[in-house]
Amino acid sequence: MQYANIITDHPACDEPFTYAIPPAMLGHLESGSVVLVPVGPKLVHGVVFHFIRALRSLTRDQLKPITSIVYDHAFIQPYVMAAAEFLHHRYGFGLGIALFSLLPPFSKRPQESQSVQNYDDLHYRTYEYVASAAIRPQIYKAMVRRLAKKSRSVLIIGQNHQSVRRLASFFKTERIPLLIYPETASAKQQRDFFLKTRDLARPTLISGTRGALMASLGSVGAIIVEEPWLPG
């Protein structure tokens, strides 16, 4: 009998759960296939992470079987799985929360959600991924806290002034200064904004619309461009 490690959208899914693959499903599953599996009394969606042939700590009788297949092909592409692992290992999100926050609803066609490019000669790295509205503030907070420990600021570019104000509200409880780019900035306000970002005395969260890109980037450790394009 074969077994599969499956990432579920259950809140307790910090790591993959192991399930038995029923004989009728053998040959119909791939890494990235979407299935329904039991977690306690409920059936939840899960994504096949990888396959295993031998059990080390569990016996066959202790494992529950996969209930049914939702999408038998590799519905979730490897780069999406890699994005979830990045969020899991770098920022401490549960693997299930990280993965399913990157995905559109299963009733809709999947969309590309992550690519990583390294530009070592230019000394910066870019990440592109889709995350739901529920998890984005948590990702931003984790980045801000991590970089603040390294005495680095973070610049968040919002799609409009309303989104900038909403993002700023998420950080009211954080012990980090907040600098917002004015909504209708005059030439003097633009100059003052640049000088303030140049002369920061401590790590600061800088936020605004695209005009905030005039900020001095000397102390900025990350630039987040908020461009939601999936529902939610």
Side-chain angles (χ1 to χ4, degrees):
M1 179 175 288
Q2 287 191 352
Y3 309 92
N5 282 341
I6 293 175
I7 303 171
T8 75
D9 59 356
H10 192 275
C13 183
D14 290 331
E15 299 290 343
F17 297 154
T18 303
Y19 290 87
I21 303 175
M25 296 184 188
L26 292 175
H28 296 281
L29 293 173
E30 302 178 38
S31 179
S33 295
V34 179
V35 295
L36 283 176
V37 293
V39 176
K42 296 182 179 181
L43 287 179
V44 300
H45 282 104
V47 177
V48 176
F49 191 46
H50 55 71
F51 300 97
I52 54 178
R53 292 185 177 276
L55 298 175
R56 294 183 178 179
S57 57
L58 298 173
T59 65
R60 184 180 304 179
D61 294 336
Q62 291 177 299
L63 294 181
K64 295 180 179 179
I66 296 172
T67 302
S68 62
I69 300 174
V70 180
Y71 295 101
D72 56 357
H73 60 286
F75 184 84
I76 310 304
Q77 297 298 315
Y79 51 77
V80 182
M81 307 281 274
E85 288 189 274
F86 170 80
L87 294 174
H88 173 60
H89 293 299
R90 180 66 66 89
Y91 298 111
F93 292 105
L95 194 53
I97 293 175
L99 176 60
F100 281 85
S101 295
L102 297 175
L103 302 177
F106 286 120
S107 60
K108 298 183 179 181
R109 184 178 179 181
Q111 304 182 48
E112 292 189 5
S113 59
Q114 191 263 359
S115 65
V116 179
Q117 298 174 317
N118 296 319
Y119 300 97
D120 294 331
D121 55 331
L122 297 179
H123 304 292
Y124 71 89
R125 182 175 296 181
T126 64
Y127 298 91
E128 300 176 13
Y129 54 87
V130 172
S132 68
I135 201 175
R136 284 199 296 271
Q138 301 176 49
I139 295 174
Y140 301 159
K141 284 185 177 182
M143 288 182 174
V144 169
R145 291 168 182 165
R146 181 170 177 270
L147 288 169
K149 293 179 180 179
K150 298 182 178 181
S151 299
R152 307 296 287 177
S153 298
V154 174
L155 171 61
I156 301 181
I157 304 299
Q159 60 177 337
N160 52 46
H161 296 298
Q162 182 180 0
S163 69
V164 170
R165 290 193 295 270
R166 186 180 68 253
L167 286 169
S169 68
F170 292 133
F171 287 89
K172 287 184 177 179
T173 58
E174 297 294 305
R175 295 181 179 179
I176 184 169
L178 185 63
L179 180 60
I180 304 296
Y181 182 76
E183 291 191 11
T184 54
S186 64
K188 180 180 183 302
Q189 288 175 315
Q190 292 175 6
R191 183 181 68 251
D192 291 345
F193 177 81
F194 172 81
L195 294 176
K196 287 179 181 178
T197 58
R198 186 192 64 181
D199 301 328
L200 294 175
R202 52 181 294 199
T204 300
L205 173 63
I206 308 165
S207 185
T209 52
R210 286 175 176 80
L213 286 170
M214 69 170 53
S216 174
L217 303 180
S219 66
V220 172
I223 300 175
I224 301 171
V225 181
E226 165 117 336
E227 288 289 353
W229 58 277
L230 280 179

